[in-house]
Amino acid sequence: MRLNSLRPAPGSRRDAERVGRGAGSGMGKTARRGHKGQKSRTGGFHKTGFEGGQMPLQRRVPKVGFRSRRGQYVAEVRLPELAAVDGDVVSLETLQAAGVVPRNTRSAKVIASGEIGRAVTLQGVRATAGARAAIEKAGGKVEA
């Protein structure tokens, strides 16, 4: 078998319609293009969405905002904000209950900004190296 001997399976491809080959063919005269107008003429091309010079729909509709799906709903929590959580265990649920992070937050990360006054245990909440050191210095711990 050679590349020049390859053929599609018999009956799998229809013959191209030969338009403009006389009145008896049923596809003569206008060659299925109709009468007049840009699309009836040679080179009658226009871009997708082109509306004849009228302002296209895609440009008429107001564009509103953008919300990135990367890093979606990751909240930053500062060290002093941990004091708002009741109890010694700080998790995503307790941060949401205390109103420190929004309800739609998927994950949270404690950053080393400010100071922490009491020992807390982080569960399921990430922490920067500086925040981890400050929590452990205050007598708390960070669990993965």
Side-chain angles (χ1 to χ4, degrees):
M1 183 188 314
R2 302 234 183 250
L3 285 176
N4 65 349
S5 67
L6 291 177
R7 294 283 177 265
S12 67
R13 292 179 62 91
R14 297 178 66 174
D15 292 336
E17 290 181 347
R18 286 169 50 87
V19 297
R21 292 294 181 272
S25 69
M27 294 180 243
K29 194 184 172 210
T30 57
R32 293 197 156 177
R33 287 172 174 254
H35 294 274
K36 299 186 182 178
Q38 185 175 16
K39 289 169 79 174
S40 73
R41 305 180 195 286
T42 303
F45 163 81
H46 58 82
K47 292 180 182 175
T48 305
F50 182 69
E51 298 180 21
Q54 172 177 299
M55 186 62 70
L57 180 69
Q58 190 258 341
R59 291 183 61 195
R60 285 199 303 264
V61 176
K63 311 296 180 282
V64 181
F66 170 77
R67 189 170 286 174
S68 174
R69 293 181 63 86
R70 292 185 67 197
Q72 191 174 31
Y73 308 118
V74 178
E76 285 185 349
V77 181
R78 293 174 179 79
L79 288 171
E81 293 173 343
L82 296 178
V85 176
D86 295 330
D88 294 335
V89 178
V90 175
S91 65
L92 185 60
E93 292 77 29
T94 58
L95 287 169
Q96 288 171 340
V100 177
V101 297
R103 290 266 177 217
N104 60 356
T105 302
R106 299 240 176 107
S107 65
K109 188 169 188 175
V110 179
I111 59 173
S113 174
E115 304 202 0
I116 185 165
R118 63 185 174 104
V120 293
T121 303
L122 285 186
Q123 286 182 343
V125 178
R126 295 178 297 161
T128 62
R132 181 184 293 266
I135 290 169
E136 289 171 353
K137 183 179 175 186
K141 59 183 179 176
V142 179
E143 298 174 359

